[in-house]
Amino acid sequence: MDNTQIEKMDNNSGASVLLADADVAIIGGGVVGCGVARRMAIEGASVVLIEKAADILDGASKGNSAILHTGFDAPPGSLEWKCVQDGHAEYLDICKSMKLPVLKTGALVTAWTEDEEERLQGVLEKGLENGVDDLRLLSRTEIHKMEPHLDSSVRAAISVPREYVIDPWSAPLAYLLQAVENDGKALFNAEVTGGDFDGSHWLLKTRRGKVRARYVVNCAGLYGDIVDHAALGNSEFVIKPRKGQFVVFDMAASKLINSIILPVPSERTKGIVLFPTIFGNMMVGPTAEEQDSRDDASVDKDVLNMLAEKAIKMLPALADIPVTATYAGIRPATERKEYRIIEDTERNWITLGGIRSTGLTSALGLGHHVHTLLSSMGASFEKREHVVTPTVPNLAEHLPRDCDEPGYGEVVCHCEMVTQREIEAVFAGKLPAGSLAGLKRRTRATMGRCQGFYCSARLAELTEGKFEIPLGVGDAHE
Amino acid sequence: MNDILKAGSCDVAIIGGGPAGISAAIELKKLGIDRIIVLERECEAGGIPRHCGHPPFGIREYGRILSGPAYAKKIVADSSLLGVEIALRTSVVSVGQGGLLSIICPDGATELRAKRVLLATGTRETPRSARFVSGGRPMGIYNTGALQSMVYLKNTIPFKRPIVVGTEIVSFSALFTCKKAGIQPVAMLEEKSSPTVRWPISLAAKFFAVPLHLDSHITKIIGHDRVTSVRFGNGHGSEKEIECDGVLFTGKFIPESSLARMGHIDIESGTGIPIVDQYGRCSDRTYYVAGNIAHHSAEVAGKCWRTGKTAAGWICKDLAGQLM
């Protein structure tokens, strides 16, 4: 029986409804959950993704640095390294067929002090050990030639040619869309509160109803330990939320830089990066601030000023470029640095914990890893003969946008050139936006320099009745 | 597509159909320059006055007091009587050397070669992000422009009890809008020790029943889905927290000079205003400016109207070869 029948079958309201019965339930609609859902659907499993928010990418995945990593600085031989390498390769493999954009920027690991310069050799060696064999030490002259606007105090750099910039929101959307197009299901506003394993199947309790599944993959990111506690009764790790703030500069900055400018990484963090975005902006961030809250992504004036100053120090011409946006993301770090992959083979449960900033790249690799783990648990699925490959609308600035095609109605968001047709398509699609933030991530609406000064009114009109938390809170009366 | 856009060339292209752009178009027509076009990206021309539902507009131009929307309608109707062509839903996406404009409209992308271009793109308020205000980013944070277009164009309100930040003229325009729409601001904050406008401000705040806090800046915006409260301090350690459901950032106008900035036209460091000579002519002498793109603060519609007219005069002389 299909999922729609199941929902109709039980018309009791509330938590006793059986929402889905699937081979694999994936908890969490971040990039990792979306990547795992895609892989398992392709491998022939019936999948259901369960998300507690109204839309995907509501937690850690909403604020990252959008870099497709090579894994040059990952711990050699680690699972993180392997998943990053697999993810990098698979992304480049599928990006054409799914119309996912890539901005082939390359990266420079830049040394600004004597100490950093000394550490560059180690970075080079680690990169080679990690199989990233196209790293190259650059002289000052070479750096200047590649990045003429970079401050002349840069001492040396390593070029990492295959570090790229991607669209951090369209990619996971495409992954989940592919799962859904291949008979998968996605449930929103369905926080998992517990579950029971009967020896062969899980019955997960969610705020909206129950989900039955043979296998469960916990991709709950910032809430990974909480979900493990709720269902398994214990967790092998503790999430230590780590906030990262970003400053986004106006599109005028994009002509100042070509590459991702990385610092020499430390043991703890990749450090503060200056990088072009695929949407045509330039960004600086993230910070790495430990905090208790898993959802307080507040920005702080002093930190933002520090970030802007740091960016200007690296790229002096930025001093004249206005700031477009500021935001913060929270990484699901744990008490240890490495990925925390936990298998409960007795209870058909896998937890993907502690997936930090490399998650955007490693998600596809983690999908393969989950498939391998499930197979070793005895799961076997008949690989799909015909895999549906959906495409997503292009949001990248360097490629044709919707407004370049006639018949778009009107431009709604002028700063980011978002059309009425694009916005309407978001609500007609199989994964419509569940919140204004979700709409922004699918279209770029209001993300530009005016931040909604011009288009908020029209957006309120176009999205009326679509969101649980609407733009308008009432009628204007006189 | 409009005839001039189809032909791909004209004498003067005016970017922006607000008071400055429309007044320049009218004046150019009166001076006998016929092949002109106003390029307006919105579905309706008239500019910001379209959503300023309060008087006084039109004193300088018409000698009587009109509301913003009535004024916007009137200037557009007047221009139409003179045969001014306004291409609506038409966005200029980049400006090139010598007046070559890249344009996107619902009929497709096109290019327009104009002998002269007038940038009349106006101004906008500094959003929360560029002010580096601390705190979360819940819903309910807006500028006056967004509030007024929601209220006057779409009859909807984004909050009921906001905090208003700023004490410029526009801040009081925002209070008028709130009053009309049934929104009751819970406080008005000003960073400085005195208000920006030179009015008996305490009276105004009393009239709107909004407590005014001077020397006050936001230290944190709080709220998950929507704004629930705002913390603010006076910089000397004392902090207050007020419950509210939105924050309205008013004023701190910045010229809408993105086209110039993204293109080849020199702009003033800091202000973002295009650098012009005594005729209002940019570093690329094909381009002129008029209206609020050329001002440090937002000027009233009447003044923008006047600068549009002046610019038209210079452009006319320029086209006749009378400017150096």
Side-chain angles (χ1 to χ4, degrees):
Chain A
M1 94 181 85
D2 72 27
N3 289 326
T4 35
Q5 281 174 317
I6 294 169
E7 259 182 310
K8 277 179 197 154
M9 200 176 72
D10 190 340
N11 57 7
N12 293 336
S13 63
S16 63
V17 184
L18 186 63
L19 299 167
D21 190 346
D23 293 328
V24 183
I26 293 124
I27 304 173
V31 63
V32 175
C34 293
V36 171
R38 168 183 176 271
R39 173 48 50 197
M40 292 317 299
I42 289 174
E43 296 297 337
S46 65
V47 302
V48 55
L49 181 138
I50 312 166
E51 167 56 46
K52 82 180 176 75
D55 206 337
I56 56 167
L57 313 183
D58 190 66
S61 300
K62 73 179 158 199
N64 61 56
S65 41
I67 296 171
L68 191 67
H69 294 290
T70 56
F72 78 93
D73 59 345
S78 65
L79 183 68
E80 177 175 5
W81 165 78
K82 186 178 183 310
C83 290
V84 165
Q85 291 226 319
D86 290 351
H88 189 279
E90 188 170 5
Y91 186 88
L92 295 179
D93 208 39
I94 64 172
C95 65
K96 275 217 174 74
S97 62
M98 301 189 89
K99 294 210 170 151
L100 289 170
V102 183
L103 195 59
K104 297 201 167 177
T105 54
L108 297 180
V109 185
T110 50
W112 303 81
T113 64
E114 204 179 325
D115 171 57
E116 286 171 358
E117 195 175 353
E118 277 167 18
R119 274 156 54 205
L120 274 187
Q121 194 55 39
V123 173
L124 199 63
E125 281 161 17
K126 195 175 187 181
L128 292 174
E129 198 184 339
N130 276 332
V132 184
D133 52 14
D134 51 359
L135 301 188
R136 207 162 61 80
L137 200 59
L138 299 182
S139 69
R140 250 186 198 178
T141 327
E142 285 173 298
I143 300 169
H144 183 72
K145 213 168 166 185
M146 284 175 77
E147 297 295 349
H149 293 285
L150 209 59
D151 190 71
S152 57
S153 64
V154 63
R155 299 170 71 99
I158 290 172
S159 146
V160 193
R162 288 180 299 112
E163 295 262 309
Y164 300 144
V165 166
I166 63 172
D167 176 344
W169 301 312
S170 295
L173 178 67
Y175 304 162
L176 183 58
L177 196 58
Q178 186 161 31
V180 169
E181 293 276 8
N182 289 284
D183 304 321
K185 186 167 181 171
L187 300 171
F188 296 100
N189 299 308
E191 182 180 355
V192 172
T193 55
D196 295 304
F197 184 66
D198 67 5
S200 71
H201 284 83
W202 275 96
L203 196 59
L204 295 172
K205 288 178 220 145
T206 83
R207 298 241 178 253
R208 276 180 57 196
K210 292 186 175 172
V211 174
R212 193 166 175 266
R214 282 162 63 203
Y215 300 94
V216 177
V217 188
N218 173 4
C219 307
L222 287 159
Y223 303 88
D225 53 348
I226 294 176
V227 168
D228 270 6
H229 270 290
L232 304 175
N234 71 305
S235 171
E236 290 186 23
F237 60 88
V238 183
I239 291 291
K240 303 272 186 193
R242 186 180 295 164
K243 183 165 76 179
Q245 303 188 42
F246 294 89
V247 172
V248 185
F249 288 90
D250 189 90
M251 288 189 184
S254 63
K255 52 189 173 191
L256 300 176
I257 213 165
N258 306 304
S259 325
I260 301 160
I261 307 298
L262 300 166
V264 180
S266 76
E267 260 310 297
R268 184 167 151 268
T269 162
K270 281 177 171 290
I272 292 171
V273 188
L274 185 64
F275 56 103
T277 74
I278 205 141
F279 312 121
N281 297 94
M282 159 108 60
M283 268 173 67
V284 63
T287 51
E289 306 163 51
E290 312 288 340
Q291 64 177 36
D292 291 331
S293 171
R294 296 166 196 248
D295 65 358
D296 181 5
S298 285
V299 293
D300 180 84
K301 187 174 194 150
D302 296 335
V303 174
L304 298 174
N305 274 315
M306 178 277 289
L307 282 172
E309 277 166 27
K310 202 170 166 87
I312 291 165
K313 216 170 162 188
M314 290 192 272
L315 199 64
L318 271 181
D320 260 347
I321 307 281
V323 166
T324 293
T326 62
Y327 69 90
I330 307 174
R331 284 101 96 188
T334 69
E335 71 278 20
R336 298 221 297 263
K337 185 178 155 77
E338 69 268 21
Y339 283 7
R340 310 297 290 275
I341 314 293
I342 289 137
E343 296 164 77
D344 188 332
T345 48
E346 300 283 299
R347 288 189 282 181
N348 294 1
W349 183 284
I350 295 170
T351 301
L352 306 182
I355 317 290
R356 295 161 294 103
S357 47
T358 49
L360 179 63
T361 308
S362 66
L364 295 175
L366 283 163
H368 283 289
H369 187 63
V370 164
H371 180 230
T372 308
L373 293 179
L374 287 179
S375 301
S376 67
M377 282 184 190
S380 78
F381 308 106
E382 205 169 313
K383 193 155 182 155
R384 239 160 234 286
E385 264 177 47
H386 176 68
V387 175
V388 181
T389 303
T391 59
V392 282
N394 172 56
L395 304 184
E397 187 68 9
H398 66 292
L399 297 170
R401 300 271 311 280
D402 188 70
C403 62
D404 295 312
E405 281 292 315
Y408 56 71
E410 67 187 272
V411 172
V412 176
C413 167
H414 297 290
C415 301
E416 300 294 304
M417 293 300 282
V418 182
T419 71
Q420 180 187 354
R421 181 172 60 193
E422 268 176 305
I423 291 169
E424 285 167 356
V426 164
F427 295 108
K430 284 204 170 161
L431 288 170
S435 62
L436 178 65
L439 180 66
K440 289 182 186 184
R441 293 193 284 266
R442 281 173 183 74
T443 61
R444 291 169 49 177
T446 76
M447 283 173 40
R449 41 178 81 94
C450 91
Q451 295 279 298
F453 178 93
Y454 294 112
C455 68
S456 292
R458 182 71 175 116
L459 274 178
E461 186 177 46
L462 285 170
T463 60
E464 204 182 337
K466 309 279 191 199
F467 303 141
E468 211 169 302
I469 305 164
L471 276 86
V473 298
D475 290 343
H477 60 81
E478 293 188 19
Chain B
M1 204 183 279
N2 167 295
D3 284 346
I4 284 181
L5 286 181
K6 262 190 216 151
S9 68
C10 65
D11 288 331
V12 185
I14 297 159
I15 307 179
I22 300 273
S23 122
I26 288 174
E27 186 66 11
L28 284 167
K29 279 277 180 193
K30 285 181 180 166
L31 293 168
I33 313 284
D34 223 33
R35 289 187 55 76
I36 64 168
I37 185 165
V38 179
L39 306 166
E40 170 56 52
R41 64 188 191 178
E42 298 286 346
C43 302
E44 229 180 285
I48 295 290
R50 284 179 311 133
H51 47 78
C52 289
H54 53 79
F57 283 88
I59 297 172
R60 279 192 180 88
E61 305 87 312
Y62 300 112
R64 59 193 172 101
I65 294 173
L66 298 168
S67 75
Y71 171 83
K73 278 208 175 72
K74 180 148 178 58
I75 60 173
V76 173
D78 285 0
S79 72
S80 159
L81 284 177
L82 284 164
V84 171
E85 287 205 54
I86 304 177
L88 297 173
R89 301 181 188 212
T90 302
S91 307
V92 177
V93 287
S94 70
V95 297
Q97 293 282 352
L100 184 64
L101 308 178
S102 297
I103 289 170
I104 282 182
C105 65
D107 298 328
T110 186
E111 279 192 339
L112 177 66
R113 167 74 68 183
K115 286 182 187 161
R116 296 295 178 272
V117 178
L118 179 66
L119 302 172
T121 43
T123 185
R124 60 184 150 80
E125 296 162 285
T126 302
R128 176 263 175 101
S129 55
R131 298 173 188 231
F132 280 3
V133 175
S134 299
R137 303 187 311 123
M139 286 178 59
I141 303 170
Y142 293 92
N143 284 122
T144 315
L147 168 73
Q148 292 185 329
S149 52
M150 283 174 102
V151 167
Y152 291 117
L153 301 181
K154 308 296 179 194
N155 190 40
T156 184
I157 56 173
F159 39 53
K160 290 175 177 163
R161 297 171 300 112
I163 277 187
V164 177
V165 179
T167 56
E168 299 179 30
I169 292 172
V170 66
S171 319
F172 291 89
S173 168
L175 291 185
F176 267 110
T177 305
C178 287
K179 201 172 173 73
K180 281 194 106 169
I183 298 167
Q184 181 55 54
V186 291
M188 191 171 201
L189 304 188
E190 170 56 53
E191 287 180 353
K192 298 193 292 286
S193 51
S194 62
T196 309
V197 289
R198 278 174 248 134
W199 301 347
I201 189 101
S202 50
L203 292 181
K206 259 188 203 138
F207 174 71
F208 294 108
V210 180
L212 175 67
H213 301 264
L214 296 170
D215 271 321
S216 297
H217 62 273
I218 294 183
T219 51
K220 188 161 189 168
I221 295 175
I222 299 162
H224 191 251
D225 296 324
R226 282 193 197 283
V227 177
T228 51
S229 68
V230 160
R231 223 175 275 161
F232 63 94
N234 57 9
H236 309 297
S238 97
E239 255 193 359
K240 278 188 193 145
E241 187 168 331
I242 295 190
E243 279 183 27
C244 58
D245 66 352
V247 185
L248 187 69
F249 286 97
T250 67
K252 290 201 176 176
F253 282 92
I254 37 177
E256 183 52 273
S257 58
S258 312
L259 280 172
R261 190 189 287 279
M262 294 297 288
H264 62 295
I265 295 167
D266 293 343
I267 55 174
E268 196 178 87
S269 171
T271 64
I273 297 174
I275 296 169
V276 293
D277 63 13
Q278 68 269 40
Y279 308 117
R281 199 161 50 168
C282 299
S283 56
D284 175 342
R285 292 177 152 207
T286 325
Y287 291 84
Y288 285 74
V289 295
N292 274 329
I293 187 181
H295 299 144
H296 290 263
S297 59
E299 295 293 344
V300 295
K303 185 160 178 194
C304 294
W305 178 272
R306 209 172 60 214
T307 62
K309 191 172 169 179
T310 308
W314 292 125
I315 290 172
C316 182
K317 283 208 167 78
D318 190 7
L319 286 171
Q322 293 164 4
L323 285 196
M324 294 297 284

